[in-house]
Amino acid sequence: MSKNQMTPDVQKDSSQLKQKQMIAEHYTRLAKAPDTGEKNAYTFVPGNLTELLRSFDLLPVLPEINALQSSMRGKSREYIAIAEKLGHSEDVCTYVKCDLGMMKSGNVGPTGERLPDPDLLLLSYTGCFTFMKWFEILREEYDAPVAMLHVPYQGDGVITDSMRKYVVDQLKTKVIPVMEKVSGKSYDEDRLKEMLTRSAKAEDDLVAVLESGKNTPSPIDAYFGGVYYIGPIFTAFRGTQDAVDYYEALRSEIDERVRLGKGPVTPEGEMKEEKYRIVVEGPPNWTSFRKFWKMFSDEGAVVVTSSYTKVGGVYDNGFRHDPDRPLESLAEYCMGCYTNLTLPSRVDMLAKYVEDYNADGLLINSIKSCNSFSAGQLMILREVEKRTGKPGGFIESDLVDPRYFSAANIKNRLESWFQMIQQRRDG
Amino acid sequence: MSTDLQTLLQEAEELAFDIDSSYVKAWKEKTGGLAIGYLPIYVPRELLHAQGCLPVGVLGAGDNLEIIRGDAYYQSYICHLPRSVIELGLTGRLDCMDGMLFPAICDVIRNLSGMWKMMAPEKLSRYLDVPQNFDPETGGLFYRHELEELSADLVKLGARPLTDEALRASIEVYNRHRVAVQSLYRLRQDEPWKVPSSELYLILRAGVILPVEEHLEMMASYEAAVRADTTRKPMDQARVLLTGSFCEQPPLGLIKTLERSGCYIVDDDLIQVHRWILSSIPTEGDPLDNLVQAFLSDTIDSPTRYIDDGVKGAELVQRVKDSRAEGLLFCAPSFCDPALLDQPMAVTAVEKAGIPWTSFLFSENTGQFQVIREQAGTFADSIKLWS
């Protein structure tokens, strides 16, 4: 039986088609960049400076996204093996190894076209120590300048004036001068402000979409579906008119689902009965993304909100990019990303999610590759359970290493957890 | 402080593995001062000292404590150090610490800072963020502010306020400490048979517990004793540099195993807090600025530190040359992101320089050394036979 025969036709909304078109155009521009002369910058999702890059007409390339796309195309096993043969440890982040393996295999992107070499490595060191090592590794491979932005951690759960000044000073003295040099253009604050205005508009719509999960039934799955919703704003499109249009269309579609009382769309079609409402902490597994999603949808489990959809920016706390304070606002954005929050802040946020979204409990998908997320998650689980009185679930997998996805194990654990929730309901 | 070598080493070992914090409790009772624990790698101990606090290195329990509750806090793929720190905390062994500092070296230690806040909400628990931008006007200002905040936190706990005079005096005494540590390292490089690394390790590890003044005495006594010991004769061992063990520490048995397998360790990354700042810090001018400037521009090239315009692996190659090592042992803890992500880049530089190397992993509670002994022994033999 072919894969197409096994999988029902996927429902595509106009927003999905729009996103697909945006991504295709972006990758085509990147592929043609060596001919057109357009410059690019490799950078990361958390703490990305997309508006600033685009104000210099630099196209963002996100190695994390390339890694997860490689994984969804079934290429990550091969790429990781290449990196490990080169001496990279089995113990470390598989995004790094997948990216390195992809580069060594010709740097072919998700559309099947070769990605350009970086003109700039913008190391936004936000919420993840591995980012720093990742770009040190890439720096050895490419002849490209590096702009390092060190984003301080919210160790005490607050952003101080000193932290903000530190980031803004780096933007002014390190990052912007390198961007000017690479792009051959001067810093244009008015242009940046225009982009930040568009960012804030798209962020309003994104928050409305993500908070629609508070409805019963939830019209969205805020984890598996959520990764598509965050795609444009977390990657290359924040600050663009395309992003504004996308989020406007998406919000309108979700509003309509709420009006009609519809549940989320899953790979198997529309979910008819919402049996469990859950909050998920941690990134998804990408190697078996659909199989993983199906384990939830088969049980009638809907993820009503998740922390992963905050990894490229926390907006549901009211933060918006502010055109009146462009660099300060970018600094606050970077410092506010989810993995840059201290554990007590993460516990507060997740416990509040369980209450605000009327969820049955918190599930943690603990990722082997990602210490930034994973170190301390067992304590997070206990604290959230204690505060909410709702049972917690815990599963383990990896980002892009298929060796660390044990379907039977995860399914067993999920089924047991759902049974526990049901038993509590039944008294 | 004893001058007899065996008694001295016994004292050092008791301090090094004082998992019940007996010494710290006694010190507090005697002085009424505050004890501030810190995780690897580096904190500016001069500042704590100047405010009358005892800086106490919390390097984990090694293989001296069975981890029961700590394992319930971490998945199998997280390194071992934080489990034993949690175990020490949950069993009350760190209750005598008035505060804990968690330097910015990796995501695991970073997140542990938040866990500690939840575990001990009544105590000071501070993430010590350090700049990866080394411009004095940018990273320097940020770091100075971090130190000022730390100092203010200590005052809130009851420490005396920081004064320039006290800080200068503390910098002075730690400068002497740096010189003394360097002297021992030089002696080991010149005559490694006189300074076995298993002994030096104990002496240095005792130094994260003892007040600096007492540790200076201990080092002086040790150096005098080994210099005077004529029974220690050179053996036909391979000179190696041990790298990668800058945070979680290998068990003492592993260091002994390497020596027994035919290696003289002539340089290492162990207990790096003593050697993080390379030279003496000036005492004239603003002492806090001097402390900041030393951090920005006069430290070792750690994998936890962005190398900016530097060349990856260049410092390691230079250390091999300076210590006249014949080979390199990459000896990192399992699941240590900084060490393991750095290693392939370091290997590239090391191979380019024609330096023989081998690598293995450990945990602080590793108990079986046979495989490592065979590997290190074969490596040492290959150096002696063919290099």
Side-chain angles (χ1 to χ4, degrees):
Chain A
M1 191 182 281
S2 75
K3 197 175 174 183
N4 285 342
Q5 284 172 295
M6 287 171 66
T7 311
D9 285 344
V10 176
Q11 298 178 23
K12 295 257 187 227
D13 291 323
S14 65
S15 65
Q16 285 176 289
L17 296 171
K18 167 79 179 163
Q19 182 175 162
K20 200 174 170 188
Q21 176 210 337
M22 287 158 67
I23 292 169
E25 283 175 6
H26 181 67
Y27 278 103
T28 301
R29 275 176 77 178
L30 287 171
K32 289 182 177 167
D35 300 325
T36 61
E38 281 197 287
K39 299 285 177 60
N40 74 78
Y42 284 28
T43 193
F44 293 112
V45 171
N48 72 71
L49 300 171
T50 303
E51 299 91 344
L52 191 62
L53 283 170
R54 283 191 173 271
S55 76
F56 287 98
D57 290 321
L58 292 166
L59 295 174
V61 178
L62 290 303
E64 298 142 289
I65 304 297
N66 295 338
L68 74 88
Q69 293 273 8
S70 296
S71 172
M72 292 177 98
R73 289 184 295 134
K75 305 288 283 180
S76 55
R77 182 191 296 271
E78 172 194 336
Y79 290 162
I80 290 167
I82 289 169
E84 289 182 357
K85 276 184 194 161
L86 289 169
H88 291 264
S89 168
E90 197 179 314
D91 288 359
V92 301
C93 175
T94 49
Y95 267 172
V96 178
K97 290 184 285 187
C98 186
D99 180 45
L100 189 65
M102 177 179 135
M103 191 203 74
K104 295 286 183 188
S105 306
N107 217 21
V108 175
T111 54
E113 295 173 291
R114 192 180 187 285
L115 294 174
D117 288 353
D119 297 299
L120 167 66
L121 292 166
L122 173 57
L123 168 49
S124 176
Y125 175 31
T126 301
C128 169
F129 172 81
T130 296
F131 285 163
M132 191 172 86
K133 307 311 290 181
W134 192 338
F135 268 28
E136 282 180 354
I137 292 167
L138 288 192
R139 194 175 78 156
E140 304 272 302
E141 302 288 340
Y142 292 115
D143 181 24
V146 184
M148 158 62 142
L149 176 70
H150 174 215
V151 175
Y153 183 62
Q154 285 200 41
D156 284 329
V158 290
I159 295 171
T160 65
D161 290 343
S162 164
M163 290 158 70
R164 190 182 299 104
K165 177 175 164 32
Y166 177 45
V167 179
V168 170
D169 284 353
Q170 290 178 81
L171 289 172
K172 285 179 179 169
T173 61
K174 278 261 182 186
V175 176
I176 289 174
V178 178
M179 285 183 180
E180 285 180 323
K181 196 170 172 189
V182 169
S183 67
K185 294 176 180 169
S186 297
Y187 172 55
D188 182 346
E189 192 155 285
D190 290 336
R191 195 171 179 210
L192 176 62
K193 286 178 174 179
E194 284 170 21
M195 291 188 181
L196 294 174
T197 304
R198 289 196 285 270
S199 297
K201 170 75 179 73
E203 287 155 7
D204 282 343
D205 288 336
L206 171 71
V207 170
V209 169
L210 294 178
E211 291 193 334
S212 71
K214 289 178 179 171
N215 290 283
T216 304
S218 169
I220 61 166
D221 185 288
Y223 188 52
F224 299 104
V227 301
Y228 294 100
Y229 304 147
I230 58 175
I233 208 159
F234 278 16
T235 59
F237 304 101
R238 207 179 60 219
T240 64
Q241 188 57 43
D242 271 341
V244 172
D245 295 344
Y246 168 78
Y247 283 102
E248 206 170 82
L250 178 64
R251 181 176 184 173
S252 156
E253 288 162 9
I254 301 300
D255 284 348
E256 181 64 3
R257 298 192 74 79
V258 174
R259 195 181 68 76
L260 297 173
K262 287 185 168 182
V265 176
T266 75
E268 312 302 312
E270 194 168 291
M271 184 181 278
K272 299 298 179 199
E273 187 191 0
E274 179 185 279
K275 287 172 68 178
Y276 305 105
R277 296 171 60 81
I278 61 177
V279 175
V280 174
E281 145 81 7
N285 163 270
W286 301 107
T287 57
S288 304
F289 187 77
R290 282 204 160 201
K291 188 189 280 185
F292 193 26
W293 189 349
K294 194 166 181 297
M295 289 179 196
F296 291 75
S297 57
D298 281 354
E299 297 285 337
V302 178
V303 182
V304 289
T305 191
S306 65
S307 59
Y308 186 67
T309 49
K310 315 296 161 10
V311 77
V314 177
Y315 298 109
D316 56 353
N317 61 0
F319 171 81
R320 296 289 180 274
H321 282 88
D322 181 357
D324 293 332
R325 304 163 53 250
L327 297 184
E328 289 78 4
S329 168
L330 283 171
E332 287 161 9
Y333 155 74
C334 291
M335 289 185 281
C337 288
Y338 182 72
T339 49
N340 206 50
L341 305 180
T342 190
L343 259 68
S345 302
R346 285 168 63 183
V347 168
D348 288 346
M349 190 168 160
L350 292 167
K352 190 168 185 307
Y353 279 168
V354 172
E355 301 294 348
D356 290 354
Y357 285 75
N358 193 26
D360 294 303
L362 172 70
L363 175 75
I364 293 181
N365 180 34
S366 184
I367 293 291
K368 173 187 174 284
S369 269
C370 187
N371 285 343
S372 176
F373 259 106
S374 301
Q377 277 179 328
L378 286 160
M379 191 171 189
I380 289 177
L381 187 72
R382 277 195 285 273
E383 284 292 317
V384 174
E385 276 185 327
K386 199 165 69 182
R387 289 195 202 176
T388 63
K390 305 279 178 69
F394 198 85
I395 53 177
E396 292 182 68
S397 64
D398 189 52
L399 295 166
V400 294
D401 192 337
R403 294 171 296 185
Y404 292 95
F405 185 82
S406 169
N409 195 340
I410 291 172
K411 196 165 191 308
N412 277 343
R413 285 209 194 183
L414 283 177
E415 284 173 358
S416 303
W417 185 53
F418 292 138
Q419 281 170 15
M420 193 198 307
I421 291 172
Q422 190 58 50
Q423 279 169 358
R424 290 237 184 146
R425 279 186 193 156
D426 296 342
Chain B
M1 193 70 61
S2 304
T3 50
D4 165 65
L5 188 55
Q6 286 316 309
T7 312
L8 189 67
L9 288 170
Q10 195 181 333
E11 284 172 10
E13 183 160 5
E14 281 167 13
L15 285 163
F17 301 115
D18 179 14
I19 59 171
D20 293 321
S21 304
S22 310
Y23 181 86
V24 177
K25 286 177 199 161
W27 179 87
K28 284 183 69 169
E29 210 166 288
K30 191 170 77 180
T31 65
L34 299 171
I36 306 295
Y38 63 88
L39 274 285
I41 307 172
Y42 165 82
V43 298
R45 293 178 295 179
E46 292 86 344
L47 186 143
L48 303 176
H49 182 265
Q51 294 190 248
C53 303
L54 179 68
V56 183
V58 178
L59 305 181
D63 54 357
N64 298 286
L65 182 67
E66 188 183 0
I67 306 302
I68 300 166
R69 297 164 74 183
D71 275 343
Y73 282 74
Y74 286 105
Q75 303 89 319
S76 56
Y77 50 78
I78 307 280
C79 57
H80 202 272
L81 174 77
R83 311 162 192 272
S84 74
V85 173
I86 291 276
E87 188 80 21
L88 290 169
L90 291 174
T91 51
R93 290 176 164 94
L94 297 175
D95 284 356
C96 57
M97 302 299 171
D98 298 287
M100 289 279 280
L101 304 180
F102 300 85
I105 63 163
C106 73
D107 295 332
V108 173
I109 301 293
R110 184 197 73 179
N111 287 5
L112 183 58
S113 71
M115 294 169 75
W116 210 265
K117 277 184 192 291
M118 292 190 278
M119 282 171 56
E122 74 287 358
K123 296 281 182 76
L124 170 68
S125 170
R126 186 170 177 86
Y127 178 71
L128 184 67
D129 216 344
V130 295
Q132 297 287 358
N133 173 299
F134 306 112
D135 179 350
E137 297 303 315
T138 310
L141 281 180
F142 171 73
Y143 187 47
R144 184 181 169 109
H145 189 82
E146 282 289 299
L147 297 188
E148 285 169 346
E149 279 192 354
L150 168 61
S151 171
D153 279 349
L154 296 176
V155 171
K156 279 184 215 156
L157 287 180
R160 59 180 179 243
L162 185 67
T163 64
D164 284 357
E165 192 186 358
L167 187 54
R168 282 193 193 100
S170 297
I171 289 174
E172 187 88 39
V173 71
Y174 274 98
N175 280 345
R176 284 197 280 125
H177 189 266
R178 272 181 276 276
V179 169
V181 171
Q182 285 160 3
S183 174
L184 281 174
Y185 265 64
R186 253 197 317 277
L187 177 59
R188 184 178 61 167
Q189 278 172 17
D190 293 342
E191 298 172 274
W193 53 93
K194 291 232 176 207
V195 186
S197 293
S198 49
E199 289 181 8
L200 182 58
Y201 177 73
L202 292 176
I203 297 290
L204 294 186
R205 187 155 177 166
V208 302
I209 307 290
L210 283 175
V212 60
E213 297 84 355
E214 288 183 38
H215 192 236
L216 274 165
E217 281 179 39
M218 176 181 268
M219 286 194 291
S221 300
Y222 176 74
E223 185 166 343
V226 295
R227 281 187 186 278
D229 188 342
T230 53
T231 64
R232 298 185 170 195
K233 303 288 184 193
M235 292 190 292
D236 188 24
Q237 309 244 91
R239 296 169 63 92
V240 299
L241 188 152
L242 186 78
T243 190
S245 326
F246 43 81
C247 177
E248 183 172 324
Q249 298 292 292
L252 185 60
L254 176 54
I255 300 171
K256 288 179 177 172
T257 295
L258 295 175
E259 295 187 307
R260 285 177 191 145
S261 70
C263 295
Y264 278 140
I265 299 169
V266 292
D267 193 6
D268 59 52
D269 293 345
L270 305 169
I271 322 284
Q272 224 168 30
V273 64
H274 297 316
R275 287 166 291 118
W276 183 266
I277 303 290
L278 293 170
S279 17
S280 289
I281 300 175
T283 48
E284 59 277 9
D286 182 331
L288 193 58
D289 268 352
N290 296 345
L291 207 53
V292 168
Q293 190 55 42
F295 178 84
L296 296 178
S297 60
D298 192 29
T299 67
I300 55 173
D301 269 5
S302 167
T304 62
R305 189 176 158 96
Y306 183 58
I307 62 166
D308 207 5
D309 293 330
V311 177
K312 184 53 80 177
E315 192 226 26
L316 188 59
V317 170
Q318 191 58 46
R319 281 173 61 198
V320 170
K321 286 179 184 160
D322 291 347
S323 61
R324 302 185 304 285
E326 299 163 287
L328 190 64
L329 300 178
F330 286 99
C331 172
S334 296
F335 304 108
C336 174
D337 277 344
L340 295 174
L341 284 161
D342 210 66
Q343 191 169 311
M345 293 180 280
V347 164
T348 303
V350 162
E351 287 190 339
K352 204 171 160 190
I355 299 164
W357 63 275
T358 189
S359 75
F360 48 85
L361 300 176
F362 71 89
S363 287
E364 59 172 352
N365 66 342
T366 296
Q368 295 290 332
F369 305 118
Q370 188 55 32
V371 173
I372 292 174
R373 181 173 183 156
E374 284 171 13
Q375 186 181 346
T378 306
F379 182 67
D381 288 348
S382 73
I383 286 174
K384 298 310 288 183
L385 289 170
W386 293 299
S387 283

